[in-house]
Each structure stands twice: as C-alpha cells, then as structure tokens.
Amino acid sequence: MKISDLGEFGLIRKIKQQSKGRSPSTLIGIGDDAAALSLSPSKKLLTTTDMLLEGVHFDLSYTDLYSLGWKSAAVNLSDIAAMGGVPRFCLTALGIPSSISVEQIKEFYKGFNALCRKYSVDLVGGDTCRSEKGLVVSVTALGEVEKKKMLTRAGAQPGDLIFVTGTLGDSAAGLEMLRAGYRGEGTGARGKGHNSELRIPNSPLILKHLQPMPRIEWGRKIALSGCATAMIDISDGLSSDLGHLCEESRVGAEIYADQIPFSKDISKAANHLNAAPLHYALSGGEDYELLFTVAPSKLKKFLSLEIVSTQIGTIISGNKMFLYDNDKRAILKPRGFNHFTC
Ligand code: ADP
Ligand code: MG
C-alpha cells in the first residue's frame, strides 16, 4: 500500500498500534503533543540521537527494512550502553520518500520494536515527514544511570589496561561482502538465497553489520562494578574511537595487533575480503562493541565478572597512540569513518 493512500496520521496510527508501550514510566506515549515520562530522581538522564541516511549510512539494495529498524535502535542503545546506562525510551523521526510502502514501514518498526522490546524500551514519539530524496531515519534514545556509576570517555589514566568486548572488524567485513554482491539467506534484501520468512541473515558477518547487538548488559556490569575508568562504544573503528577516548582523557595508548580479538567467521571469510582483519578492526567501524579502560588495581575483580572481553593494550602518558605489530612500533592515526573526509 502507498503511504499517500493512508496519509500521515493513518501511518502514525499504524506505528502506534504496532508499538504499544509497556513501561509504567510512560505516562503519555505516542499520540499527544509530547510524551510524558517519569524518571527516577536518583539517576542521571542520558540522551542521544543518531541519524541514518539512505546513500550515506545504508543502501536499500542490500539492507532490508527489518534490519534497518533494528540497527536504528541498536546504534542509539549502544550509546546509552557506553555510558553504563539503562535505555528506557526512544523517539523515531522518519523522512519517507514515495518509493517506500506502508508494508516496508511496518517491517522497519518490526525490527525496531524487536530490539526495543528485548530491553523494555518504549517508543514514545517521533515525527513523520515526506522526503524528496532517500529515506531518512533519526532516532533519539533516553536512558538512565546511577549518578556515581556513569562512565564517560574521560577518566582513563596512564597504566590503565585497555579492553574491548566481543570481536572487532566483523561488521565492516560483512559490509564488504554485501557490497560485493553476497547476500546470505534471510537478509530480506534481493539476492540469491533470499527467504523473506527468515529474518536472521545466516552469515554472522552480514548479521553483525545489519543487526548489531548493543552491549547493554556488559556496559551495565562494567559500570556497576566500579572497575572501569572510561568507556566508549566502537562505532567508527578502533583507531578512531580509541582516539576519542584518549583525547577526552588527555592520555595516549599503545595497543598490540596480535591481541585484537577476531572472530572465526572473519578468518573463514578471508577469500571474500580484500583486506586483513586488522584493517577492518582499526578502520572499519560499526561493530558497536565497548572499548573501556580498567585500573590495574581492579583487574582481578574485573576478570571475575566474566565479561567476554580482551585486553588489547595499555594507556600511556602523552597524546599519541601506538600500534605494535610484529615487534614493530608505529604511530596509530585515527582512520575510522569520518563523514566530512571520506
Ligand atoms: P505534532 O504535529 O504535534 O508534532 P504529530 O502529528 O507530528 O504531532 O505527531 C503525533 C504523535 O505521533 C506525537 O505523539 C508524535 O510523537 C507521534 N509520532 C509521529 N511520528 C512518529 C513516528 N514516526 N514514530 C513514533 N511516533 C510518532
Ligand atoms: Mg510533528
């Protein structure tokens, strides 16, 4: 069905029906002039917004709307996770071109709500406009964190140990496979092996790119433990995001190429890829893993938390980052995704 047949308000009604809020903290959700939310007075409010633009952040020839909805929620929830917070509410603003159908918007919210529901996050509002060119998605997330437990990019000290959760480079490798024409079943995108019933791509690299998992539980555990001194999520690539953490903390870093965690999948996909896993980890971005620093005196306690993470280096004084690779030391320059230089 065309969106013009339904109209703006008909579409908002459908989105509302599809996104019933559950939290008692949502006093007024979708449907009034503003949402009314009740928040805990003992906590800090966290807010974040991320935009995803067709042609800049995603390509609808290999991104299905379910995955796009999921990812739009994930990138915002990841920012809340990176502060050690609990995500509570979301708002979605859409600019919709005439080429997008009502069914596609429904798929978008299926994906969006699937992730939000997992974390009891309520969709409480947004905006809906026509776009003259390309699909525009802007999501705002609101979260909360205990006043004394919040983690920021500032706070890392020389001697602190640098850790990352999960594995790095998978998302960028998945994107390269998609760009090369590989689809993997269940991405919902046009391509070989497409099965619209399957919503989970069967290639783990493609899945990580299209439907990243924000590390909310790990972010909470890290923050509540009191072991970490600084934290950021890896959205632009390790070199870039470590650069941000160092800049805000006014420190330098050294990291070891042979300690960076890679998945079995990225090694198995080597034939389909043009670059080494290290390249994707350093410069690829969109892994949405957490990068954080641990005070050496808290290492034992931190390790007892059993968070899936790897120590990849150490914070040093100064303002430079170094990469040790095969016993060679090289200056590491931030080379992640940058909208205005790429
Ligand atoms: P107003 O003109 O007062 O801004 P709108 O007609 O734009 O109100 O929106 C009506 C209600 O629907 C509001 O609660 C708004 O937050 C919500 N809303 C509009 N678009 C969306 C959307 N894409 N997703 C979720 N909620 C939406
Ligand atoms: Mg409006």
Side-chain angles (χ1 to χ4, degrees):
M1 185 195 275
K2 281 195 198 151
I3 292 179
S4 55
D5 295 340
L6 202 58
E8 177 188 341
F9 302 112
L11 185 64
I12 295 174
R13 215 170 295 125
K14 275 213 183 297
I15 295 169
K16 183 178 175 178
Q17 280 164 5
Q18 219 186 315
S19 317
K20 288 252 172 355
R22 276 138 222 256
S23 164
S25 306
T26 304
L27 309 175
I28 298 175
I30 297 174
D32 215 310
D33 291 312
L37 312 169
S38 102
L39 291 159
S40 165
S42 64
K43 293 187 183 153
K44 282 184 183 156
L45 171 66
L46 303 169
T47 72
T48 178
T49 297
D50 262 302
M51 271 179 107
L52 284 95
L53 307 184
E54 185 178 351
V56 178
H57 298 93
F58 62 91
D59 182 329
L60 289 181
S61 65
Y62 54 69
T63 308
D64 61 294
L65 271 285
Y66 180 94
S67 293
L68 183 63
W70 176 286
K71 188 164 178 173
S72 308
V75 302
N76 281 276
L77 299 197
S78 175
D79 282 325
I80 301 286
M83 307 293 287
V86 180
R88 300 292 312 278
F89 310 100
C90 269
L91 296 101
T92 52
L94 302 183
I96 309 173
S98 55
S99 54
I100 297 283
S101 66
V102 172
E103 290 73 22
Q104 283 177 299
I105 296 297
K106 203 169 161 198
E107 273 297 296
F108 175 92
Y109 279 100
K110 258 189 205 160
F112 190 92
N113 291 335
L115 183 59
C116 286
R117 221 165 275 138
K118 186 170 161 54
Y119 291 104
S120 307
V121 172
D122 277 5
L123 177 64
V124 296
D127 202 13
T128 309
C129 315
R130 189 182 68 218
S131 163
E132 288 300 323
K133 203 165 171 273
L135 180 61
V136 178
V137 179
S138 174
V139 176
T140 298
L142 311 180
E144 292 179 307
V145 63
E146 294 77 2
K147 284 184 177 152
K148 296 207 168 125
K149 298 294 183 186
M150 184 174 72
L151 286 168
T152 67
R153 298 174 180 190
Q157 302 279 337
D160 286 353
L161 313 168
I162 305 169
F163 278 83
V164 288
T165 58
T167 56
L168 299 185
D170 297 320
S171 172
L175 174 61
E176 190 177 305
M177 287 170 70
L178 285 167
R179 283 189 173 147
Y182 182 84
R183 289 293 174 265
E185 270 177 37
T187 59
R190 287 177 293 275
K192 226 177 146 202
H194 166 58
N195 174 348
S196 61
E197 289 308 306
L198 262 173
R199 288 223 169 77
I200 311 247
N202 64 357
S203 154
L205 300 177
I206 290 177
L207 176 64
K208 182 123 185 206
H209 181 73
L210 293 177
Q211 295 178 25
M213 191 56 90
R215 300 307 193 184
I216 294 164
E217 292 93 343
W218 290 343
R220 284 299 286 161
K221 254 185 153 180
I222 293 164
L224 292 179
S225 74
C227 296
T229 51
M231 187 150 72
I232 186 170
D233 67 327
I234 302 182
S235 52
D236 298 328
L238 176 60
S239 63
S240 193
D241 291 315
L242 179 60
H244 295 315
L245 188 146
C246 286
E247 202 178 322
E248 290 303 314
S249 296
R250 297 169 192 272
V251 293
E254 50 186 38
I255 57 170
Y256 302 95
D258 62 359
Q259 290 179 24
I260 295 176
F262 296 114
S263 66
K264 282 195 204 92
D265 309 298
I266 202 169
S267 317
K268 271 197 278 176
N271 295 342
H272 303 277
L273 302 170
N274 292 322
L278 182 62
H279 167 81
Y280 297 110
L282 292 175
S283 323
E286 298 201 287
D287 282 314
Y288 298 103
E289 295 294 345
L290 296 172
L291 171 69
F292 55 99
T293 51
V294 173
S297 61
K298 303 275 175 65
L299 182 62
K300 208 169 154 206
K301 179 175 176 195
F302 171 71
L303 293 175
S304 74
L305 302 175
E306 298 189 337
I307 291 165
V308 179
S309 61
T310 311
Q311 191 197 333
I312 59 164
T314 311
I315 294 292
I316 58 173
S317 56
N319 58 6
K320 291 197 174 60
M321 297 189 294
F322 298 97
L323 175 71
Y324 286 85
D325 192 5
N326 290 325
D327 293 333
K328 279 200 224 102
R329 185 176 96 146
I331 290 209
L332 179 65
K333 289 253 165 66
R335 279 196 214 289
F337 186 71
N338 181 321
H339 278 275
F340 296 100
T341 59
C342 286

